[in-house]
Amino acid sequence: MIEHGKRQGFASLSPQGIKPDSFPMRLFRKGNGRHWDPAGIDFTQDARDFAAMSDDERWWTCALAAQFLAGEESVTQDLQPFVAAMAAEGRFADEMYLTQFVYEEAKHTQAFRLWFDAVGMTGDLHEFLTYNDAYMEIFTKQLPDSLYALAIDPSPRNQIRASVTYNHIVEGTLALTGYYAWQKVCASRGILPGIQQVIKHIGDDERRHMAWGTFTCRRHVAADDTLFDAVDERMQELLVPAMGVVTATFEQFEDVPFGIDISEMAEYAMDKLGRRLGAIESARGADLLSIDVDASPEALEERFHEEDRKELAAV
Ligand SMILES: [Fe+2]
Ligand SMILES: [Fe+2]
């Protein structure tokens, strides 16, 4: 056993203790090769662009960036029970990957903090966030509650509820849609080159994170078909607050800054969510050994990336 605080042996010394061809090891290797340093990004043009914005545009930009900064801090902390849950299940390769995952979230936090400092927003930023009740519901209640439940009981059902909340709603729906909105604004106006670089790197990390979430749900659903209902149930529970996070930011304005189309963003979010759900559903009745080496969750994220790239090139 390699459970935290109860170690009796060592996975790394056991044959097959760390399977090199397993999906989490594949993600771990890929992440090691994609290292980037937030401190290496130049935000001087961002500061000029920020100063030249209208008041509404500046407010909207700060609201979005504050959601990301607070969100990255939250996910840095709240993933940690999942790391321990992997040890409790004897899955050291997943634990290795999740430590990289936690580290990447900490770097994302650093990147947004550096951006705020660079544009001169060094005062308290809570005002850009706390009016958003749906955001507060998800980040101070739903996300921590579902992740810290793993510390008490790391059962497959609780892992699914945690992964759907973390990987599929917070990362897959909220963060990805926000990044997409931001990329569209930046690309169409040619502004905030530093943030554009940050988003490019973060998007690359996030694709691996979401692929791991889809993989984790797939292996539990393959092992126990009744667990697919738990995936669906958790998504249904969170859809309304998740959409509320997006709409609350726009409800502050009569004319949405940068001409962002809210229904286009909602459609974007729902399309990705539905297709990831389909990828989990396709694991029903599948052989567990094949799920463990199946890279299709990664291929799905690469396909989304390619679609975004085409869409943004047309902007
Ligand atoms: Fe992140
Ligand atoms: Fe992430």
Side-chain angles (χ1 to χ4, degrees), residues 203-222:
D204 189 75
D205 293 344
E206 294 299 335
R207 283 195 288 284
R208 275 174 270 118
H209 300 176
M210 286 176 296
W212 182 84
T214 301
F215 161 78
T216 297
C217 291
R218 278 170 65 88
R219 71 179 177 82
H220 288 308
V221 164

Side-chain angles (χ1 to χ4, degrees), residues 109-183:
T109 312
Q110 181 197 11
F112 282 105
R113 188 61 251 180
L114 287 172
W115 182 83
F116 271 114
D117 293 344
V119 302
M121 296 295 288
T122 51
D124 193 275
L125 300 168
H126 281 87
E127 63 170 299
F128 293 108
L129 195 66
T130 44
Y131 65 89
N132 193 326
D133 294 336
Y135 187 96
M136 298 305 280
E137 164 73 17
I138 289 196
F139 286 90
T140 67
K141 192 170 180 334
Q142 298 294 341
L143 179 69
D145 284 2
S146 63
L147 269 294
Y148 289 96
L150 296 175
I152 299 157
D153 174 15
S155 66
R157 186 167 194 278
N158 279 349
Q159 286 187 35
I160 282 180
R161 290 181 65 80
S163 171
V164 169
T165 311
Y166 190 115
N167 304 115
H168 296 97
I169 297 294
V170 169
E171 294 185 313
T173 306
L174 298 181
L176 260 281
T177 308
Y179 290 133
Y180 181 68
W182 222 338
Q183 280 177 305

Side-chain angles (χ1 to χ4, degrees), residues 68 71-73 75-76 101 104-109 112 166 171 175 179 202-203 205-206 209:
F68 278 114
E72 301 288 7
E73 173 184 330
V75 294
T76 304
F101 186 149
E104 287 170 352
E105 299 300 8
K107 264 197 326 196
H108 302 171
T109 312
F112 282 105
Y166 190 115
E171 294 185 313
Y179 290 133
I202 291 184
D205 293 344
E206 294 299 335
H209 300 176

Side-chain angles (χ1 to χ4, degrees), residues 156-263:
R157 186 167 194 278
N158 279 349
Q159 286 187 35
I160 282 180
R161 290 181 65 80
S163 171
V164 169
T165 311
Y166 190 115
N167 304 115
H168 296 97
I169 297 294
V170 169
E171 294 185 313
T173 306
L174 298 181
L176 260 281
T177 308
Y179 290 133
Y180 181 68
W182 222 338
Q183 280 177 305
K184 271 201 113 161
V185 168
C186 293
S188 65
R189 298 224 173 168
I191 54 170
L192 307 175
I195 274 290
Q196 289 194 48
Q197 253 193 302
V198 166
I199 289 173
K200 187 172 83 53
H201 287 299
I202 291 184
D204 189 75
D205 293 344
E206 294 299 335
R207 283 195 288 284
R208 275 174 270 118
H209 300 176
M210 286 176 296
W212 182 84
T214 301
F215 161 78
T216 297
C217 291
R218 278 170 65 88
R219 71 179 177 82
H220 288 308
V221 164
D224 177 356
D225 194 65
T226 64
L227 286 172
F228 185 72
D229 292 342
V231 177
D232 203 36
E233 176 192 84
R234 190 58 178 153
M235 283 197 184
Q236 297 303 330
E237 284 173 18
L238 293 172
L239 269 185
V240 171
M243 283 302 145
V245 173
V246 183
T247 50
T249 317
F250 292 101
E251 275 162 6
Q252 307 292 312
F253 303 97
E254 250 169 48
D255 290 315
V256 177
F258 301 112
I260 288 179
D261 182 349
I262 176 102
S263 55

